[in-house]
Amino acid sequence: MRHVHGWLLLTPAAILLVSFTHYPTIATVINSFFSKGNSVRPSRFIGLGNYEAMTQDPIFWKVLFNNMWFALGTIPTSIGLAIIMALAVNRAMPGRSFVRMAYFTPTILPMIAVANIWLFFYSPDIGLIDQITGWFGFSSHNWLGDPDTVLSSIIVMTVWKEAGFFMIFYLAALQHIPPELGEAAKLEGASRWYYFRRVVFPLLMPTTLFVLINAVLNSFKLVDHLFVLTKGGPDNASNLLLYYIFENAFSYFDTNYAATLTVVLLGLLAVMALVQFFVLDRRIHYR
Amino acid sequence: MTGIRISNLVKQWDDVRAVDDVSFDVPQGRLTVLLGPSGCGKSTILRMIAGLEDASAGEILIDGRDVTREDPSRRGVSMVFQSYALFPHLSVRENILFGLKVRRVPVAEQEKRLAEAAHMVGLGDLLDRKPANLSGGQRQRVALSRTIVANQPVCLMDEPLSNLDAKLRAEMRDEICALQRKLALTMVYVTHDQIEAMSMADQVVLLKDGQVEQTGTPSELYEMPRTTFAAGFLGMPPMNVLRMDQLSGAGMPKGAVPKAEPGCMLGIRPEHIRIAGKGLPVEVASTDYMGAETVLRLRHADEVVMARIHGRPQVVAGDRLNIAWAADEIHVFDETGTRRGSPDT
């Protein structure tokens, strides 16, 4: 009788998990083994055919490398900035809560609104950046229209948006470090940098792991900004994996190929999460 | 020579004066206890000596050198914090060596001092543990070792025993005292626990509301309290401070109750009260049997009198009896609560 109650309590969560996580995952994997169907030729099982096609697809490799650069460009910078901002606002100073709020604002704003703001910043001639550089005599530049600058432009915007969000976690972690530790270090003559390196940063490592996993996930999850800003262009220069999946599924209606790409994305994320947990976790001190 | 000299020290927080014109000397190589109730400013004084708080006014001299504006690391002090301030991610070894590494002490010297300190406090086989895997007493020892390896002439302690249980506290009291003597440290020890002050101190500085109430050896404070506050703060139970106009000397030894003056108070330690055939009539309110002695709560008119009677007297609550004391055991305080010379004769 008791295990019946147990199962009844678990059921609501289980239904949600199964219908929105487990079933779609399995369905995706199954779909990826089938060909794209149409009214003339119905979808049929083709084994690893989609995966073969994927390895031949130059756009797939392009978005994969784009995604790698995007991750490398956004993750270390936003984490570094987040720590610096958290340290800056973790002391007594005038207008502290205002500054904290200002740092956090990008996180509160809806993604679409953020993208629109930055669209204005990046517009050639009339955009904010071009107007400012114009005063110093630089010629105008189409930041989002140039394949050489479009990915960097998106990276800058993403760092701006993520750093404030990560700052909140670092701020919370900093406030858990007892001030006596700093005082003890000060009595020994430790410089602020030495104290940060030997004490604060190691004590922040659990937060860093958490933030790192989030940052990696976010770097593969970006769709809405691309949708507003570039649609992945020009010439796929700013296309990222998830947006490419989105395009395949909802623009080209090739859901089977999209499923194949999704399986690859899931595999990538799983591998990275495992590496982070098993390699980094051992070196981290948890209180 | 003077270990530490504090003169006219003031700490002002916005509109609160936490430390108000405090002056005292800490003799070199001695243990001085800053004693007082919470909020009396004792920790603030200690933190100003360490340099963790800036003094609003006044001077701090260590070994004759004015360090009031000196960087904390150049004052020649080490400190044990109430929370021990151990770095949770570092092993015991790294915790102890932290300061030496900052100061770039040669590695051979580091190892030598570490071995000495670990031996002295008995941490030998715990050096690779993390603080989380240590008991409270062991953490305390790590904090002490940090002080030992630092080799500083002055050691500051901020309520170091308040997180320990009673048995361990007594043990650590002895160890800290032994350490202080062995290393001839000039130690300033902050506590609100009068037992620690009485048992450890060479000199006690009693503080109240940011001001020095009395400075002296534990026996001076106990036997000659300068104020009713000092009289009431030391002793378990504290000295009885009675309004003199409520008492009559009838049946008491000559001089045991001096002639009443308006507002004057009479102080008498509970252990100096004895049950007598004639004397002050009281009613027993309660009895606390402690084994070697019994503490009686007695009532005389509006006054409550505590008495410590040896053994187990045959009294119960509600009994009426007479108490008396000797003339040379009394303390007389005037209407401001300040001691009147020596006991009146």
Side-chain angles (χ1 to χ4, degrees), chain B residues 42-338:
Chain B
K42 55 193 190 302
S43 282
T44 311
I45 295 174
L46 195 78
R47 290 170 59 80
M48 283 194 281
I49 299 175
L52 298 173
E53 302 284 355
D54 292 328
S56 307
E59 279 187 336
I60 300 163
L61 277 75
I62 297 181
D63 257 346
R65 189 166 64 97
D66 184 354
V67 296
T68 320
R69 304 271 170 267
E70 182 69 284
D71 184 85
S73 64
R74 285 194 221 104
R75 296 185 178 204
V77 301
S78 58
M79 185 160 169
V80 173
F81 292 82
Q82 183 173 6
S83 60
Y84 315 139
L86 302 182
F87 303 115
H89 61 299
L90 297 179
S91 65
V92 169
R93 172 196 305 278
E94 290 299 315
N95 261 294
I96 297 174
L97 291 179
F98 186 87
L100 301 185
K101 287 195 171 164
V102 175
R103 293 182 194 272
R104 296 182 194 285
V105 172
V107 176
E109 173 74 14
Q110 286 183 17
E111 289 300 322
K112 192 172 137 256
R113 289 202 211 167
L114 172 68
E116 271 174 22
H119 176 71
M120 216 181 282
V121 300
L123 275 176
D125 43 354
L126 300 174
L127 287 179
D128 294 319
R129 294 234 194 133
K130 294 271 176 71
N133 302 324
L134 298 178
S135 69
Q138 289 166 336
R139 284 180 212 180
Q140 170 78 72
R141 283 165 215 269
V142 178
L144 286 178
S145 322
R146 276 213 299 223
T147 309
I148 299 169
V149 297
N151 244 351
Q152 305 282 15
V154 173
C155 176
L156 308 174
M157 299 218 167
D158 190 4
E159 310 220 11
L161 305 183
S162 54
N163 292 339
L164 302 179
D165 60 56
K167 185 165 167 288
L168 204 52
R169 208 179 293 175
E171 211 177 293
M172 292 308 292
R173 265 198 325 250
D174 293 346
E175 285 194 33
I176 291 174
C177 277
L179 202 69
Q180 182 266 331
R181 280 193 209 107
K182 188 166 177 190
L183 303 175
L185 291 167
T186 305
M187 189 178 279
V188 184
Y189 186 106
V190 163
T191 184
H192 61 263
D193 181 351
Q194 49 154 321
I195 298 171
E196 281 172 33
M198 296 294 280
S199 60
M200 298 173 77
D202 294 312
Q203 171 185 266
V204 176
V205 178
L206 182 65
L207 295 153
K208 182 200 174 197
D209 298 336
Q211 291 177 319
V212 175
E213 195 77 5
Q214 187 172 1
T215 306
T217 63
S219 58
E220 278 169 5
L221 258 74
Y222 193 76
E223 286 157 20
M224 301 277 276
R226 211 177 59 76
T227 60
T228 48
F229 174 78
F233 197 80
L234 289 173
M236 262 318 254
M239 183 186 281
N240 297 298
V241 179
L242 309 168
R243 280 175 51 198
M244 253 202 256
D245 52 12
Q246 296 267 327
L247 307 174
S248 88
M252 295 277 255
K254 187 169 151 32
V257 179
K259 199 161 78 70
E261 282 172 53
C264 268
M265 311 287 254
L266 181 139
I268 179 76
R269 291 270 174 213
E271 63 269 32
H272 294 144
I273 293 177
R274 57 190 163 78
I275 300 173
K278 45 183 192 160
L280 195 67
V282 291
E283 187 189 336
V284 179
S286 65
T287 64
D288 273 341
Y289 175 59
M290 311 281 210
E293 65 197 24
T294 304
V295 174
L296 302 180
R297 232 173 105 85
L298 308 168
R299 209 172 279 133
H300 171 79
D302 296 340
E303 304 273 1
V304 172
V305 185
M306 306 292 274
R308 265 167 80 164
I309 308 294
H310 188 76
R312 186 149 55 93
Q314 299 300 316
V315 293
V316 291
D319 282 4
R320 290 179 178 280
L321 42 86
N322 293 321
I323 53 170
W325 50 78
D328 57 353
E329 305 288 12
I330 64 165
H331 309 256
V332 181
F333 302 95
D334 66 17
E335 66 276 14
T336 62
T338 313

Side-chain angles (χ1 to χ4, degrees), chain A residues 30-97:
Chain A
I30 293 171
N31 268 338
S32 72
F33 295 126
F34 284 83
S35 69
K36 182 186 177 187
N38 54 31
S39 47
V40 184
R41 271 184 307 174
S43 175
R44 64 186 173 82
F45 182 79
I46 52 165
L48 293 175
N50 282 324
Y51 292 89
E52 264 175 56
M54 183 183 71
T55 56
Q56 313 282 320
D57 177 4
I59 300 176
F60 166 71
W61 292 109
K62 171 121 193 173
V63 296
L64 201 61
F65 276 99
N66 276 349
N67 225 144
M68 189 189 75
W69 288 119
F70 181 75
L72 289 177
T74 53
I75 296 169
T77 324
S78 52
I79 289 182
L81 266 178
I83 293 179
I84 293 170
M85 293 195 301
L87 287 170
V89 296
N90 188 37
R91 10 174 213 147
M93 61 172 194
R96 183 170 71 168
S97 28

